[in-house]
Amino acid sequence: MKFIHTSDWQIGRTFRFADDDTLGALQAERLEVIRRLGLLARQEGAAHVLVAGDVYEHETPAERTLHQPIERMRDFADIQWHLIPGNHDADQPEGVWARLARSGLPENVTVHREPGPILIDTAHNAWALPAVLKRRHVLTDLTAYMDEAETPPDALRIGLAHGSVVGFGGEVESEHNPVALDRARRAGLAYLALGDWHGFCQIDARTIYSGTPETDRFTTGGGGGGGGGEAVVVTLHGPRAEPEIKRHRTGRYTWKKLDDVVLTSEQDILALDARIRSIAPDNPGAVLVWAAVSGLLSVDDMALYESNILKRLSGAVACLRLTGAPQLSAGLDDLDRFGSGGAVRAAAEHLLAQSEAGGAEGQLASEALQRLFLFWQEMGAQAG
Amino acid sequence: MILTDLQIEGFRRFASPVRLDGLGPGLNVLSAPNEAGKSTLLAALKAVLMVRSSSKAKPVKDLQPYGGGAPHVAVSFTWKGMDCHLEKQFISKAFTRLMLGAERFEGDQAEEALRNLLGLEEASKGEAAGLWSALLVGQGESFAQPDLNQTGQDSLRSCLEHGVDHATGGAAASAVLSRVRDRLHLLQTAKSGQPTGKYKQALEQEVQAQACLQDLQNRRAALEEDLAALDQARRALREQEDPERKAQDEAELLALRQLRDKLRVADAEEQAARAALATVTHTRNSICDEQERRQERRESQRKLERDAAEMQHDLQALTLRTAQARQRYEESRTQREQAEQQQQAARQALLAVSRRATVLQQRAALDRSKQTLHRAEAACMRLEQARAVLAALQVDEGLIRRVRKAVREQDAAQAALNARATRLTVTLQPEAAGRVLLDGAACPQGEMVLTQAADVQVEGIGQFRITPAVKDHDEALAAADTARQQLQSVLHSAGCQSAEHAETLFEERRQAETRVAEARAAFVASLPSARDERDATLFEALATLRQDLSDQVAALEREQAAFEQDCQSSALAGAPEGRAAQIATETVCSPEAEGGVQTDQTEATLQALQQKARQEEERAARVADEARQRERTEQAAYNAAQNLQDKAEAELRQKQTERDQVGRELAVSAARESDDALAARAAETAQAQAQAEAHVQALKAGRETEQPLSVVETRIMRREQALENARTSIARLREEIKERETRVRVAEGDGLDEKIAEAGRTASRLKLDCEGYERERAALALLDQTLSDAEKTQTERYLAPLVRTLQPAFSTVFPGASLEMDTGFGLCGLTRRTAEEFGRLSDGTREQIAVLVRLGFAELLHARQSPAILVLDDALSFSDSQRLELMFDVLADAATRFQILVLTCRAEAFARLGGRPLSLRPIPQITERR
């Protein structure tokens, strides 16, 4: 039996740093990835897609948001979609799932709102054992029932849960929605499909976090693994056989965090430019970068920074998020461009002295000086 | 630059061509009356220097003469040794022609060359502006300081920068500053520095976004609350609607009701038994009470009888004591009466002695009065005698005066007669005596006066008749006679023989008067009560004295009689005992008028007696007081005894009455029911009570295990209430669930969480925007401030030469004054002794300063070797002659460096200025240079 394991779609998610256009594109891509998952299933010949929670970002999405993913799934009538509630969309009395149940779901979409074994594939004698979050946070392990849950002999028991495994890789243990590390073994599961962690993570041979299919956070890791953007194609050859796992890239956007970018020279600026452009050289428009910038630049380098990074590179990538900025490093020599005397030169000297004094006022003086250079340059350009 | 010729035509009043004659280097003065065209001349100069000939602006049109025409002006000047010529025509067939030495320009080229030469820039509509507008000073313009536009300032600045060591970059600073401000004012208003434009918009949007977010969060909270409440309500409803629970509740209620009915029956039975028991108990109690009451009464009767007997005994003793007290009281009263009698007698005796003393005193007083009267009467008698003597002497003052007058008159008449009489001096021989007779009598010897014919007979000789030859002899004689007779008559009336006698009598009378006065004084002295010294008063006083004396005598007699009578009556009244009586007797019996010695003795005795009588009376009074005190004590004792006795009697009577009452009551009770019958009835009731009690106990024992009725009833009520509540509660819960569900449906359709996330994103982005704008604004503001400060500092630096240029002229007009200029090249203050603001100076001073500043500008241009002239139209009209003189000095000095044209209508005042006289002269046509 073959199926696609995915989770954490977080439909309706917003991103504070993004401007309206970027936000719209990112949100659209989160929906679009459902189509890509459907296509992947068809391509792989998988009849089922298991979504391990957090289909929705919010407990009360708008009507449109509520129906958008459902309608995407409806388009793939040949694929069975199995959904469980996550911590973001827990199955509360008046929650998203109740709303959807009231309005009716497509036949190929099943929302598992009660724990207990459910036959999902007669041909393979495959039974799903969903863990159902009724609240955002629970302190008990909702997968515990799987140990005792009865299925016919030789059934393929496939666990489906949303939460944090306890005691894995020295991670800080989550207090909420815990999942036992060895649940798959204890409950005799052929596979335990987990959701909640946004990056792919394999706990053991049968216990896997698929991560979100479309990345939604900046990470420093290489490639795009840590932040998600993948789905898992799982092939089960039998109840006791080790599952065959295949990771598949589904995400469109690449999110990248650059810590401690220090700019002190023209080379640094050019390097930064090149580094960002090289993330996806053939498609820089799908790159989101968050760079923490600092350093000291001369007047000319500052102008270069302004033009290369702030103007050109910003336009090249989907989103260039900058925290911090290089400081202007001007000296008396730089002031010579204002002439050897005169009011402008005097003002510049005054500002330079202030900026060298440091502090908030120094910072302000530095910015004022930077602008003075800019104005001077503009005027020179006009005159010249 | 020196103007050498100026010709105009078609300018306002100068429709025909005129020429300004006499122009040359230095000071040029055109003195002409008002309306002579001076201002037109200046306008023409301004136009040719500063206005493009192609201009069609209103000011240019205003230059046309009234009949219309094309203003035409030609000006010649020298510049750097070159002869130059400038000619312009406006409005129609406009042209410009400029010749600079050998160079020649036409049209726009000429305009450009001119502007370059003069340092002018296009200001508006063909009119150029620059420092020159400050140098061609029209009528009325000289009052204000020159208002320089940017070009003018730049021009000045460039003049000044020329003198400063290195370039100030003032223009560059201004340009940057203007860019900074343009950019800054996109973010904040120029005036108040309030956020504006995008910044303001972002701030407002941020506030809105925050409000929106808050609103959404509130709605989310409301939704949460609705969800929680909905869950709660559903659970409550499920519980309420549980049918099993309902059936159980109803069954329990039924059982409780049955139990209640059973309990109610048992309750009624018990109550009846209790009532019967109560009745029996009550009867028994009343019987017992009656028995006890009777017993008590008997005992009380016996006790009362005992008490009465005791009290009777006590009463007898008390009666005896009372009688004794009464007797003692009677005795003390008798004693008191005796003491009082004795005191009375003593007082009588004292009284008698006192009266005796009074009589004696009265008698002595009477004697003294008698003596006084006696003396007064004697004095009176002496007075009357003296008066009688006086009355007998008739010669008083008047009479003696008349006598003396008659004597004098007689003497005068005799003297008059004698004076006219004949003197006869006879000297006889002693032997002739007797032999010579005069008028028959012996002739005396010596000189004689003969007033009448006298006959002298000399014995032996014969008779001689002497007849005095006296004139009016007879009249004189008659007068002498009359005088004599009058004297005689007066003397006679006075009863005197002669004048001497009369004098003697008069002397006697005066002595008599003295005696009368003495006697009277004696009389007055003898009257102690005389009020004044008039006779009538005196005699009245005498009479009063007499009357008083007789009254005193009468009073004394009455007193005497009364005293004697008292003595006799007291002697008769009884026998007063003791010494008092004796004293009284002694007093009375002492004889009265027994002579002086006896009287004295009696007085001494009397005093002793009086003393004794007083002592006796005091002693008797003390005795009487003691007796009275004793009586009161006895009386009190008696009264107390009497009271005790009365009280004992009353108590006894009370006891007897009580005893009788108890006796009667006992008799009545016994009559109603005998004691034995009562005892029998008591035994019966005791038995009945025991039976009733046993019945009640039995009932009670039977009910001990049962629940109290009230508890059961309360429980029933509670159950019923609970059921009713459940019914209402179900209805209410259904309603609430419906309502909440509706609300939740509405809210969840909105997608609140999404909206909150979106609003939060918007708000934080806006916040970032605002922060960015604020950083930008702050940086620009700082830049603006820094640049402004730097520019100001620089300006101040290059203003120094301007001040230096202006200073000499200023010092001439305002000795000791120093200047202060602002960055707009205006003079902002003048410091003489204290700093003064320009605006507060007088009109005259302001005008002088304005002219001096313009002069300074021209000096600057000149120093920079730029063309410069100064034209003043009707300036300095407010200056006094002294200041005017100083200004003339300054102008004359400046004119040695550059040309100055002064146009004035005040020919006399400006005559002292000197300079080249100018005049306007009509010319056939403008001399054109081609």
Side-chain angles (χ1 to χ4, degrees):
Chain A
M1 184 203 177
K2 208 173 194 181
F3 61 91
I4 308 291
H5 169 200
T6 181
S7 71
D8 297 283
W9 294 357
Q10 318 272 160
I11 303 297
R13 175 153 193 176
T14 53
F15 302 95
R16 292 202 162 197
F17 62 87
D19 60 30
D20 290 352
D21 292 345
T22 312
L23 178 68
L26 291 174
Q27 287 182 332
E29 210 53 45
R30 298 196 81 71
L31 281 171
E32 192 57 24
V33 78
I34 298 171
R35 205 176 68 84
R36 284 200 289 277
L37 285 168
L39 291 175
L40 176 66
R42 274 183 193 160
Q43 183 191 316
E44 294 285 335
H48 302 276
V49 177
L50 271 55
V51 189
D54 278 358
V55 172
Y56 296 99
E57 167 75 5
H58 301 299
E59 285 176 5
T60 56
E63 283 302 316
R64 182 176 158 76
T65 313
L66 184 68
H67 287 101
Q68 276 174 331
I70 303 298
E71 294 312 305
R72 292 291 189 288
M73 288 185 272
R74 191 196 292 275
D75 290 344
F76 292 88
D78 51 335
I79 313 285
Q80 283 295 320
W81 304 77
H82 298 274
L83 318 180
I84 59 163
N87 60 329
H88 279 267
D89 51 3
D91 181 26
Q92 292 180 339
E94 295 294 324
V96 278
W97 307 114
R99 283 168 70 189
L100 282 173
R102 280 203 302 274
S103 65
L105 284 167
E107 295 219 335
N108 62 329
V109 177
T110 311
V111 179
H112 297 279
R113 295 176 65 191
E114 295 301 332
I118 296 272
L119 182 64
I120 58 167
D121 193 318
T122 320
H124 295 94
N125 192 18
W127 292 73
L129 289 93
V132 180
L133 275 168
K134 291 283 181 185
R135 292 193 303 281
R136 193 178 182 87
H137 300 302
V138 295
L139 299 176
T140 54
D141 184 348
L142 296 176
T143 61
Y145 87 93
M146 295 176 189
D147 294 0
E148 310 296 331
E150 288 187 5
T151 50
D154 294 330
L156 285 173
R157 289 160 66 92
I158 303 168
L160 193 56
H162 189 91
S164 296
V165 290
V166 180
F168 175 73
E171 299 241 347
V172 178
E173 285 186 16
S174 171
E175 287 184 5
H176 304 304
N177 311 338
V179 175
L181 190 63
D182 56 351
R183 180 63 62 206
R185 185 184 57 74
R186 273 154 59 172
L189 301 178
Y191 186 81
L192 177 53
L194 290 176
D196 197 21
W197 296 3
H198 284 218
F200 171 85
C201 186
Q202 182 159 12
I203 306 297
D204 60 27
R206 299 172 190 276
T207 309
I208 286 175
Y209 281 98
S210 65
T212 177
E214 183 64 52
T215 316
D216 60 356
R217 61 189 61 176
F218 290 102
T219 52
T220 51
E230 291 172 280
V232 181
V233 181
V234 183
T235 313
L236 298 178
H237 299 291
R240 275 162 291 276
E242 204 163 278
E244 186 185 328
I245 306 295
K246 198 165 74 179
R247 290 165 69 179
H248 200 280
R249 175 140 190 94
T250 49
R252 178 173 137 73
Y253 284 104
T254 307
W255 297 56
K256 188 83 181 166
K257 174 101 190 269
L258 303 178
D259 285 332
D260 297 330
V261 178
V262 181
L263 302 175
T264 56
S265 64
E266 188 185 344
Q267 284 74 33
D268 289 343
I269 296 165
L270 296 176
L272 176 65
D273 191 18
R275 189 178 166 196
I276 291 173
R277 284 173 191 274
S278 70
I279 292 172
D282 49 345
N283 187 14
V287 172
L288 293 92
V289 180
W290 177 9
V293 183
S294 61
L296 280 173
L297 290 178
S298 68
V299 177
D300 291 330
D301 291 344
M302 187 59 90
L304 184 70
Y305 175 77
E306 292 248 347
S307 73
N308 270 28
I309 305 296
L310 298 186
K311 290 179 182 165
R312 292 189 210 156
L313 186 60
S314 268
V317 296
C319 174
L320 178 59
R321 182 184 182 192
L322 295 170
T323 44
Q327 300 299 304
L328 180 70
S329 154
L332 284 174
D333 296 347
D334 292 310
L335 301 192
D336 282 346
R337 61 188 72 202
F338 299 119
S340 59
V344 181
R345 162 95 192 201
E349 281 174 8
H350 185 68
L351 287 173
L352 182 59
Q354 268 189 319
S355 74
E356 279 167 357
E361 285 178 15
Q363 177 69 33
L364 185 62
S366 173
E367 285 182 25
L369 184 58
Q370 203 173 323
R371 278 168 181 78
L372 182 58
F373 278 116
L374 225 67
F375 283 125
W376 192 258
Q377 217 167 8
E378 281 172 21
M379 280 168 59
Q382 278 177 8
Chain B
M1 176 175 170
I2 292 160
L3 296 182
T4 53
D5 188 31
L6 177 62
Q7 301 179 23
I8 61 173
E9 180 185 6
F11 264 90
R12 291 187 193 160
R13 62 181 298 109
F14 300 123
S16 309
V18 290
R19 176 167 187 240
L20 185 61
D21 256 357
L23 277 168
L27 202 53
N28 295 259
V29 182
L30 173 61
S31 296
N34 289 332
E35 313 252 311
K38 297 188 296 296
S39 299
T40 307
L41 213 56
L42 180 62
L45 195 55
K46 274 189 177 175
V48 76
L49 290 177
M50 295 164 66
V51 182
R52 282 180 190 271
S53 59
S54 55
S55 175
K56 298 279 192 288
K58 188 169 182 299
V60 177
K61 287 181 178 164
D62 287 348
L63 296 174
Q64 283 182 288
Y66 307 117
H72 182 191
V73 56
V75 59
S76 300
F77 57 93
T78 58
W79 169 240
K80 293 186 175 171
M82 295 185 289
D83 282 329
C84 304
H85 185 75
L86 172 64
E87 195 174 341
K88 279 189 186 178
Q89 180 160 324
F90 298 88
I91 314 278
S92 77
K93 293 180 188 165
F95 69 88
T96 305
R97 192 176 299 139
L98 174 65
M99 284 178 274
L100 297 173
E103 282 185 285
R104 188 188 165 92
F105 305 93
E106 292 278 347
D108 284 348
Q109 254 190 332
E111 296 283 0
E112 283 314 307
L114 178 64
R115 282 170 193 212
N116 284 337
L117 175 68
L118 299 180
L120 299 177
E121 269 185 34
E122 192 79 17
S124 65
K125 292 194 178 174
E127 187 175 346
L131 206 48
W132 275 81
S133 58
L135 303 180
L136 306 178
V137 188
Q139 211 168 26
E141 285 174 5
S142 60
F143 293 113
Q145 292 199 62
D147 178 19
L148 295 179
N149 60 8
Q150 191 63 41
T151 319
Q153 291 197 9
D154 288 346
S155 170
L156 254 188
R157 209 171 274 132
S158 74
C159 286
L160 294 166
E161 279 170 0
H162 199 65
V164 179
D165 292 344
H166 50 75
T168 57
S174 298
V176 176
L177 197 53
S178 114
R179 270 165 189 268
V180 169
R181 284 187 181 156
D182 285 350
R183 203 68 71 79
L184 178 59
H185 294 161
L186 292 177
L187 297 177
Q188 71 172 35
T189 57
K191 282 183 183 167
S192 54
Q194 293 299 309
T196 184
K198 278 188 193 167
Y199 183 22
K200 187 180 174 191
Q201 207 179 349
L203 281 173
E204 285 167 1
Q205 280 174 351
E206 195 205 342
V207 172
Q208 275 176 10
Q210 288 293 354
C212 172
L213 182 60
Q214 189 57 49
D215 177 51
L216 284 168
Q217 276 166 348
N218 290 345
R219 278 173 62 194
R220 182 78 180 92
L223 177 62
E224 299 261 3
E225 198 254 317
D226 271 343
L227 284 170
L230 190 57
D231 191 36
Q232 181 73 24
R234 278 183 180 149
R235 220 170 316 148
L237 184 63
R238 266 202 302 281
E239 211 157 299
Q240 296 283 1
E241 281 181 335
D242 187 2
E244 249 177 61
R245 206 185 110 189
K246 204 173 164 189
Q248 196 185 339
D249 282 351
E250 275 169 6
E252 275 175 17
L253 186 61
L254 187 67
L256 278 171
R257 280 181 181 148
Q258 283 167 355
L259 179 61
R260 180 187 63 189
D261 294 345
K262 212 175 98 192
L263 284 174
R264 275 183 183 161
V265 172
D267 230 31
E269 264 179 39
E270 192 183 329
Q271 269 174 15
R274 276 182 195 284
L277 174 61
T279 315
V280 172
T281 311
H282 181 74
T283 314
R284 193 183 163 206
N285 287 348
S286 64
I287 290 167
C288 287
D289 286 352
E290 178 66 26
Q291 282 175 327
E292 276 170 20
R293 227 176 5 254
R294 287 187 184 186
Q295 188 60 33
E296 272 172 19
R297 279 191 191 133
R298 272 192 289 275
E299 273 171 20
S300 123
Q301 193 184 24
R302 277 194 294 279
K303 188 170 177 292
L304 284 168
E305 271 169 2
R306 269 199 314 277
D307 287 354
E310 274 173 24
M311 282 163 95
Q312 189 75 46
H313 181 72
D314 290 351
L315 181 61
Q316 278 165 6
L318 277 172
T319 314
L320 186 63
R321 245 173 31 213
T322 308
Q324 285 167 352
R326 186 185 177 85
Q327 196 178 350
R328 277 199 300 277
Y329 169 53
E330 295 289 347
E331 280 168 10
S332 70
R333 194 166 62 190
T334 317
Q335 277 171 6
R336 190 257 304 162
E337 278 169 3
Q338 282 172 1
E340 275 178 354
Q341 271 176 9
Q342 277 179 7
Q343 187 192 6
Q344 187 66 30
R347 195 177 294 147
Q348 286 291 341
L350 179 60
L351 206 63
V353 172
S354 297
R355 283 181 85 166
R356 174 80 183 125
T358 309
V359 168
L360 279 178
Q361 279 167 6
Q362 276 180 350
R363 193 176 292 156
L366 183 61
D367 288 348
R368 280 193 298 278
S369 296
K370 272 182 183 164
Q371 281 170 9
T372 306
L373 179 64
H374 186 67
R375 275 198 303 275
E377 276 176 342
C380 182
M381 199 178 297
R382 277 195 297 278
L383 176 61
E384 277 168 358
Q385 281 170 2
R387 276 185 177 160
V389 170
L390 181 63
L393 291 169
Q394 285 178 352
V395 185
D396 57 1
E397 191 84 20
L399 200 59
I400 194 77
R401 218 174 280 137
R402 270 161 60 200
V403 170
R404 284 174 185 161
K405 190 182 168 197
V407 170
R408 273 196 311 272
E409 279 171 359
Q410 189 201 356
D411 287 348
Q414 192 62 47
L417 194 60
N418 285 349
R420 286 171 201 152
T422 306
R423 299 288 187 272
L424 174 67
T425 307
V426 178
T427 312
L428 295 175
Q429 299 287 333
E431 58 281 23
R435 288 169 59 196
V436 176
L437 294 174
L438 183 62
D439 288 340
C443 183
Q445 291 201 46
E447 195 177 271
M448 274 166 293
V449 177
L450 299 179
T451 53
Q452 290 174 357
D455 294 321
V456 181
Q457 282 173 336
V458 183
E459 208 187 65
I461 304 290
Q463 188 170 356
F464 310 85
R465 182 158 192 113
I466 307 166
T467 306
V470 176
K471 193 185 169 192
D472 300 333
H473 177 256
D474 293 338
E475 283 88 349
L477 212 57
D481 276 347
T482 311
R484 195 164 49 245
Q485 278 166 10
Q486 269 178 353
L487 178 63
Q488 287 303 322
S489 147
V490 169
L491 288 174
H492 183 71
S493 66
C496 302
Q497 286 87 23
S498 64
E500 287 78 20
H501 186 211
E503 289 286 348
T504 311
L505 283 177
F506 178 63
E507 185 58 34
E508 281 175 8
R509 182 179 168 93
R510 271 184 36 201
Q511 285 176 6
E513 275 176 357
T514 309
R515 276 193 302 275
V516 166
E518 283 169 3
R520 196 164 185 277
F523 183 41
V524 169
S526 70
L527 286 171
S529 61
R531 287 193 306 279
D532 57 33
E533 293 190 1
R534 277 186 312 212
D535 280 2
T537 316
L538 294 174
F539 288 111
E540 200 179 311
L542 186 60
T544 309
L545 210 55
R546 279 194 198 109
Q547 184 62 44
D548 287 351
L549 186 61
S550 67
D551 287 352
Q552 278 180 355
V553 169
L556 182 60
E557 277 167 1
R558 274 198 307 279
E559 187 76 14
Q560 188 86 27
F563 176 59
E564 279 168 10
Q565 198 167 356
D566 280 355
C567 286
Q568 284 168 4
S569 63
S570 62
L572 285 172
E577 292 159 30
R579 278 177 293 174
Q582 190 188 340
I583 292 162
T585 317
E586 281 171 15
T587 311
V588 174
C589 295
S590 60
E592 200 177 323
E594 286 177 7
V597 180
Q598 280 173 335
T599 308
D600 287 347
Q601 279 177 343
T602 314
E603 263 179 30
T605 321
L606 205 56
Q607 273 180 5
L609 276 174
Q610 227 168 348
Q611 185 70 24
K612 264 167 67 186
R614 207 168 287 128
Q615 285 169 359
E616 193 57 33
E617 199 268 345
E618 280 168 7
R619 195 191 54 81
R622 268 199 309 279
V623 171
D625 276 348
E626 282 162 15
R628 273 195 288 277
Q629 188 63 39
R630 214 162 32 243
E631 185 195 357
R632 275 198 292 278
T633 315
E634 290 301 333
Q635 190 177 14
Y638 165 63
N639 286 345
Q642 186 66 49
N643 278 347
L644 276 178
Q645 186 191 343
D646 290 351
K647 219 165 126 190
E649 278 169 359
E651 278 172 8
L652 178 60
R653 276 195 299 280
Q654 176 73 22
K655 285 283 171 199
Q656 284 165 346
T657 319
E658 280 175 22
R659 186 195 57 198
D660 294 351
Q661 178 66 28
V662 171
R664 273 197 301 280
E665 280 172 6
L666 273 173
V668 169
S669 305
R672 203 173 56 231
E673 193 176 14
S674 74
D675 287 354
D676 294 342
L678 193 62
R681 202 150 64 85
E684 272 170 32
T685 355
Q687 201 179 351
Q689 191 189 13
Q691 281 171 1
E693 258 172 19
H695 182 56
V696 168
Q697 284 302 328
L699 280 175
K700 214 171 168 184
R703 291 192 67 194
E704 248 166 21
T705 50
E706 281 172 3
Q707 288 179 359
L709 178 61
S710 62
V711 172
V712 174
E713 276 175 343
T714 315
R715 202 176 295 156
I716 288 168
M717 213 188 296
R718 196 160 50 77
R719 292 285 166 121
E720 282 171 349
Q721 188 70 47
L723 279 173
E724 180 56 33
N725 282 355
R727 272 194 289 280
T728 4
S729 167
I730 286 167
R732 190 174 48 76
L733 282 171
R734 281 192 179 134
E735 196 117 322
E736 189 188 334
I737 288 167
K738 210 165 141 192
E739 194 183 320
R740 298 239 186 222
E741 272 177 354
T742 315
R743 279 221 295 272
V744 167
R745 300 268 188 283
V746 172
E748 70 192 2
D750 281 354
L752 273 179
D753 286 338
E754 263 181 277
K755 283 188 174 172
I756 287 170
E758 179 57 28
R761 188 185 74 93
T762 313
S764 62
R765 284 186 67 79
L766 284 166
K767 192 162 177 249
L768 282 175
D769 283 355
C770 287
E771 283 166 5
Y773 284 134
E774 173 54 27
R775 266 204 313 282
E776 175 84 8
R777 188 202 64 74
L780 287 171
L782 178 63
L783 191 53
D784 178 22
Q785 183 63 43
T786 315
L787 277 170
S788 302
D789 290 349
E791 193 190 24
K792 197 177 163 205
T793 314
Q794 292 291 346
T795 310
E796 276 164 7
R797 266 177 66 196
Y798 66 71
L799 271 176
L802 178 59
V803 173
R804 274 202 301 279
T805 308
L806 291 171
Q807 190 68 56
F810 262 87
S811 298
T812 308
V813 181
F814 305 104
S818 61
L819 318 174
E820 197 184 326
M821 303 213 69
D822 59 25
T823 53
F825 304 106
L827 188 137
C828 56
L830 184 68
T831 305
R832 285 185 276 196
R833 273 177 301 280
T834 57
E836 296 167 82
E837 277 179 43
F838 181 79
R840 289 169 178 260
L841 298 168
S842 75
D843 285 345
T845 307
R846 281 215 303 259
E847 190 188 12
Q848 289 143 21
I849 288 173
V851 169
L852 288 173
V853 169
R854 289 162 204 273
L855 206 57
F857 291 170
E859 291 268 16
L860 267 183
L861 282 177
H862 174 73
R864 193 199 171 201
Q865 296 182 331
S866 295
I869 59 168
L870 180 65
V871 183
L872 298 173
D873 183 10
D874 259 343
L876 304 174
S877 43
F878 284 101
S879 300
D880 61 34
S881 57
Q882 199 184 348
R883 284 273 175 86
L884 200 58
E885 195 76 16
L886 292 172
M887 287 299 291
F888 287 170
D889 290 346
V890 170
L891 287 173
D893 176 55
T896 60
R897 292 183 289 280
F898 50 88
Q899 190 183 29
I900 297 176
L901 266 66
V902 177
L903 314 177
T904 180
C905 59
R906 297 162 65 204
E908 305 77 21
F910 278 70
R912 300 168 65 89
L913 182 54
R916 293 169 189 277
L918 301 177
S919 58
L920 278 167
R921 187 167 58 83
I923 49 173
Q925 60 177 47
I926 289 181
T927 323
E928 293 197 5
R929 307 259 180 109
R930 295 191 183 270

